[in-house]
Every structure is written in C-alpha cells, then in structure tokens.
Amino acid sequence: VRNMKLLIVDDEKITTEVLEKQIDRRRLLIDEIYTAYDVRMAEEILEKEPVDIVLCDIEMPRENGLQLLEWVRNRKLDSEFLFLTSHEKFEYALGAVKNGAANYLLKPVDIPTINKALLDVVEKITKEKQLHKIEEYWNYGKRKAVREFWRELLLGKLYTEEEIEEEISRLGLPCVQYF
C-alpha cells in the first residue's frame, strides 16, 4: 500500500503551519502534506492531486468545509474527511456525518488527539485498499475458473448433465434453465 497524501484546509494560516509540523508523518504513513486556506484553494489541489485524507476546518469565510466535502463527494473523489471546528452546531455534525466524514473534532484539540484520529482514518483506508485488492484477486480467479469451465465443456471434457450441473454449482455460477 502506497503512503498517504494529506490536505490541511483552514483559513487560519498559523493552524495549518502547526498541524503540518506536528502531524506524525512516519507513524501515519503520510508522504505529502498540502495546505489550503480556503475551499477554492483546496478544490484546486484536489483537482490535481489524489488526496487520501482531508483535515478541514468547517467554518471559513465564503464557503465552508461541508461545502468542500459535498464538492468532493459529487466528483466521486476518494478522500476521507476529518473535520476540526470550534463550533458545536448540530447542523455541522449532521452535515459531516450525512456526507460520510470519518470524524468531527472540536477545537481546541491537542496534537496527540489529532494524530490518533488520523491514525484511525489511515487504518480504515488501508483496510479498504486491502479488501479491494483481495476482491480483485477473487474476481480474477473466478473469471479464470469460468473460462476453464467453458473450455472443458466445449472440448467435451464434461460429459453428463449431472457433471455439468455439479461444476456449475461448485463454481457458484448462476444457472438458467432454458428447456
């Protein structure tokens, strides 16, 4: 599994600088960290770079973090969101959860808590990628088995109707009866 890319989005430049310096890159397998100070800047980065995790403030001038999350989901970009906010508004939490945010942390939050939340997201992404790879291998093996079944059938290696039905059942193939 390749290392992760992180985008930090916060209109407070000092916050992004502190986060960028304090995040445990090695433990979190983070290769690159990008920073943006508003939603537009974040969108420009996301259009160019495949970012695994977005660590984002919710309340920013002009557009907010929830609008960025919605923009990402509408474009079917594969990024996990972790929100930081000093606002305890229910609408924010609801909007974050509704759009599949991984977590929602209230400021002020310490660096160990942020690193732990990021680690949870990294572990989730890693598991999803591993499951996807296993699924790809499984599907490849199944396609190969189906091709072999048809080859044997066409070459006359499966003789009786019972043998053919057994092989169809063993491979888990959908069975349609035509007669």
Side-chain angles (χ1 to χ4, degrees):
V1 177
R2 72 168 174 77
N3 285 352
M4 307 280 165
K5 293 182 180 183
L6 171 70
L7 169 61
I8 301 169
V9 186
D10 197 312
D11 59 311
E12 296 174 16
K13 190 173 182 181
I14 191 82
T15 301
T16 60
E17 289 172 358
V18 168
L19 288 171
E20 187 175 10
K21 286 182 182 131
Q22 296 294 316
I23 286 173
D24 189 349
R25 290 173 186 241
R26 234 181 33 187
R27 184 167 175 231
L28 297 171
L29 305 174
I30 294 175
D31 267 347
E32 294 181 53
I33 296 179
Y34 304 96
T35 56
Y37 308 113
D38 60 33
V39 170
R40 289 278 173 239
M41 203 173 162
E43 289 171 352
E44 287 175 20
I45 292 167
L46 289 164
E47 284 176 336
K48 294 175 191 164
E49 294 294 331
V51 172
D52 301 288
I53 305 168
V54 179
L55 179 59
C56 186
D57 187 16
I58 287 187
E59 194 65 39
M60 292 181 281
R62 291 181 299 280
E63 293 181 277
N64 66 39
L66 294 176
Q67 289 167 304
L68 176 61
L69 173 58
E70 195 173 316
W71 181 89
V72 165
R73 296 296 181 245
N74 287 339
R75 280 162 182 72
K76 302 198 182 335
L77 301 177
D78 200 19
S79 300
E80 290 288 338
F81 268 72
L82 177 61
F83 282 113
L84 296 174
T85 185
S86 50
H87 298 279
E88 208 170 332
K89 291 183 182 175
F90 175 73
E91 308 87 62
Y92 287 157
L94 179 65
V97 170
K98 190 175 101 180
N99 285 297
N103 208 336
Y104 180 93
L105 302 173
L106 288 173
K107 290 179 182 177
V109 62
D110 61 4
I111 293 299
T113 302
I114 292 172
N115 278 321
K116 170 65 174 114
L118 284 168
L119 181 61
D120 292 343
V121 175
V122 166
E123 288 173 351
K124 176 185 176 195
I125 291 169
T126 302
K127 284 178 187 172
E128 286 173 358
K129 287 180 180 180
Q130 288 170 340
L131 284 173
H132 182 71
K133 192 171 271 313
I134 290 168
E135 186 179 334
E136 283 177 2
Y137 286 135
W138 173 260
N139 288 333
Y140 172 76
K142 188 163 184 164
R143 284 191 307 271
K144 193 173 177 183
V146 168
R147 278 194 308 271
E148 185 63 23
F149 165 76
W150 282 108
R151 191 176 77 70
E152 287 185 9
L153 183 65
L154 293 171
L155 292 174
K157 292 184 179 178
L158 298 173
Y159 300 105
T160 67
E161 188 176 325
E162 188 177 285
E163 288 175 316
I164 293 170
E165 286 175 4
E166 282 177 22
E167 194 62 12
I168 287 172
S169 175
R170 187 181 74 77
L171 292 171
L173 299 175
C175 188
V176 178
Q177 200 164 17
Y178 292 102
F179 305 103

